[in-house]
C-alpha cells in the first residue's frame, strides 16, 4: 500500500511538472492528417501556438485526466514490475531480457486499465486546435468528456485506441523500467556512484532515451487513433492500428512515426528525473528499500 501511494504522488508531481511539453508533443503527432490544418511544424512554433490560442493555461488543458491516469497507471506498473521481478517469472530476475519482459507486461496491464483516462486526456489536448480556430472545444471537463464519448461511441468507446496504447505501454515500460533498473545496478556495481541521487539521475536519463526511441512510433499511432471518434456518424480515417501505421508512412514518410520525438524526449527526461528521484526519496523516508 505504501508503494502504491508513493508511486501515485511521485507520478502526479512529475506529470504536472512536464505536462506543457506533452501538449506540444500531442499537437506535433496530430499534424499532417488531411482533416487537420497544420499551423506549426516545430516544437517552438507549437508552443507559441498554444500560448496564442489559450494563454499559459493552454499548456495545462487536459492535466486533470492526465493526473487521474497516472494515479491508476503508474502504481500498477511500478508495483507490478517489482512483483514480477521478485518472482523471477519465466526468466532470471537479474537478466536484462527478464527485466524487459517484466516491464512490458506490467505496462500493458496498467495501460489497459487506465486507457479511458488517457483517451480523455488526448482528446482534451487536441481540442486546443479548435480553440485556436475560435471554435468551441468538444469537452468542458473530464465528466463532460466521459458522458459525450460514451453517448457517441458506447462504453467500449472509452477504450478506443487501446491496442496501440497497450503496444506503446509495452515498449515504453520495457525501455523505461528495465533500463532504469539495469542502469542503476550497473552504475552501483561498477562503483560509478553509490545508491544516491546521482545514480538515480544517470539511470533516469538512460531510461528516458531508451523509452522514447522504442515507443515513439506506437505513440504516434496511439495518439491518432484515440483522437478520432468511432461513433456511427463519425468519419474515421483509420480502420485499425495497421491501417493507421500504413497510411501515416505512405502519406508522410517513415520519419512521421517519430514526430514529436524531441518533445517526447524533452518531456520523458525531466519526467523520469522528477519521478525516480522523488520516488526513491519517498521510499527511503518511508523505510522501504531502494527500487
Amino acid at each position: 500500500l505504501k508503494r502504491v501511494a508513493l508511486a501515485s504522488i511521485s507520478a502526479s508531481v512529475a506529470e504536472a511538472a512536464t505536462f506543457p511539453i506533452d501538449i506540444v508533443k500531442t499537437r506535433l503527432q496530430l499534424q499532417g492528417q488531411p482533416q487537420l490544418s497544420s499551423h506549426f511544424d516545430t516544437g517552438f512554433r507549437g508552443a507559441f501556438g498554444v500560448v496564442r490560442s489559450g494563454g499559459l493555461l493552454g499548456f495545462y488543458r487536459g492535466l486533470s485526466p492526465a493526473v487521474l491516469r497516472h494515479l491508476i497507471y503508474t502504481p500498477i506498473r511500478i508495483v507490478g514490475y517489482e512483483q514480477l521481478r521478485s518472482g523471477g517469472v519465466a526468466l532470471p530476475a537479474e537478466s536484462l531480457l527478464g527485466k524487459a519482459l517484466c516491464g512490458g507486461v506490467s505496462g500493458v496491464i496498467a495501460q489497459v486499465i487506465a486507457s479511458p483516462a488517457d483517451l480523455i486526456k488526448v482528446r482534451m489536448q487536441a481540442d486546443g486546435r479548435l480553440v485556436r480556430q475560435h471554435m468551441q472545444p468538444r469537452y468542458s471537463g473530464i465528466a463532460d468528456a466521459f458522458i459525450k464519448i460514451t453517448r457517441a461511441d458506447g462504453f467500449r468507446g472509452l477504450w478506443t485506441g487501446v491496442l496501440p496504447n497497450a503496444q506503446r505501454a509495452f515498449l515504453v515500460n520495457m525501455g523505461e523500467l528495465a533500463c532504469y533498473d539495469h542502469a542503476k545496478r550497473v552504475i552501483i556495481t561498477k562503483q560509478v556512484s553509490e545508491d544516491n541521487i546521482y545514480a538515480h539521475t544517470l539511470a533516469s536519463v538512460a531510461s528516458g532515451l531508451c523509452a522514447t526511441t522504442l515507443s515513439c512510433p506506437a505513440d504516434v499511432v496511439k495518439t491518432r487513433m484515440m483522437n478520432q471518434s468511432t461513433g456511427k456518424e463519425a468519419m474515421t480515417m483509420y480502420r485499425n492500428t495497421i491501417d493507421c501505421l500504413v497510411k501515416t508512412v505512405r502519406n508522410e514518410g517513415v520519419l512521421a512515426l517519430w514526430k514529436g520525438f524531441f518533445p517526447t524526449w524533452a518531456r520523458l527526461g525531466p519526467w523520469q528525473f522528477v519521478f525516480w528521484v522523488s520516488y526513491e526519496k519517498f521510499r527511503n523516508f518511508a523505510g522501504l528499500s531502494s527500487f
Side-chain angles (χ1 to χ4, degrees):
L1 186 59
K2 278 186 181 180
R3 288 181 293 172
V4 169
L6 296 180
S8 296
I9 294 171
S10 301
S12 298
V13 173
E15 188 69 15
T18 60
F19 194 74
I21 304 173
D22 192 44
I23 287 281
V24 176
K25 179 211 73 172
T26 298
R27 302 279 187 90
L28 285 171
Q29 291 176 336
L30 289 174
Q31 72 173 358
Q33 298 181 90
Q35 85 276 24
L36 294 174
S37 58
S38 179
H39 293 272
F40 55 80
D41 56 8
T42 67
F44 288 115
R45 290 179 64 187
F48 286 131
V50 173
V51 173
R52 262 197 320 269
S53 62
L56 293 177
L57 290 179
F59 282 116
Y60 288 92
R61 181 170 184 81
L63 176 61
S64 51
V67 171
L68 175 62
R69 168 183 175 263
H70 272 288
L71 290 177
I72 304 169
Y73 171 67
T74 298
I76 294 175
R77 70 190 181 97
I78 295 295
V79 176
Y81 174 81
E82 287 194 271
Q83 292 296 324
L84 290 173
R85 182 184 64 182
S86 63
V89 178
L91 292 166
E94 292 305 311
S95 161
L96 179 58
L97 184 58
K99 292 175 182 177
L101 181 61
C102 291
V105 171
S106 63
V108 168
I109 295 171
Q111 193 63 69
V112 169
I113 295 173
S115 193
D118 201 16
L119 174 70
I120 293 172
K121 181 200 77 168
V122 168
R123 295 204 179 173
M124 288 182 68
Q125 288 179 332
D127 271 1
R129 288 176 174 270
L130 301 178
V131 174
R132 191 178 60 224
Q133 296 170 10
H134 306 291
M135 298 170 64
Q136 189 69 21
R138 291 175 291 182
Y139 315 113
S140 60
I142 296 178
D144 183 55
F146 180 86
I147 292 171
K148 287 181 177 177
I149 291 172
T150 53
R151 184 178 297 161
D153 306 331
F155 188 72
R156 290 180 61 182
L158 292 170
W159 275 267
T160 297
V162 68
L163 181 57
N165 216 1
Q167 292 168 341
R168 174 189 177 275
F170 184 90
L171 294 170
V172 133
N173 286 280
M174 181 175 69
E176 178 188 332
L177 297 179
C179 185
Y180 176 82
D181 189 8
H182 199 71
K184 191 179 80 167
R185 297 286 178 260
V186 170
I187 290 168
I188 296 172
T189 303
K190 299 294 184 181
Q191 298 183 335
V192 176
S193 170
E194 296 181 354
D195 191 355
N196 54 28
I197 190 171
Y198 182 61
H200 304 157
T201 300
L202 291 177
S204 69
V205 170
S207 67
L209 179 58
C210 184
T212 304
T213 303
L214 288 172
S215 69
C216 205
D219 196 24
V220 170
V221 173
K222 178 214 77 168
T223 298
R224 294 187 173 196
M225 289 291 293
M226 295 182 79
N227 187 52
Q228 69 176 3
S229 178
T230 59
K232 294 181 180 179
E233 299 179 359
M235 294 182 62
T236 56
M237 281 192 62
Y238 313 115
R239 296 189 304 274
N240 49 50
T241 57
I242 300 300
D243 185 50
C244 180
L245 179 68
V246 171
K247 285 182 178 177
T248 298
V249 173
R250 181 187 300 154
N251 297 332
E252 304 166 50
V254 68
L255 291 181
L257 295 176
W258 278 270
K259 275 187 175 180
F261 176 86
F262 288 107
T264 301
W265 189 20
R267 179 177 187 251
L268 268 178
W271 198 100
Q272 297 283 329
F273 171 74
V274 174
F275 173 77
W276 286 114
V277 170
S278 60
Y279 184 54
E280 295 276 22
K281 284 294 182 184
F282 286 150
R283 286 175 68 106
N284 182 258
F285 293 151
L288 298 174
S289 61
S290 177
F291 179 78

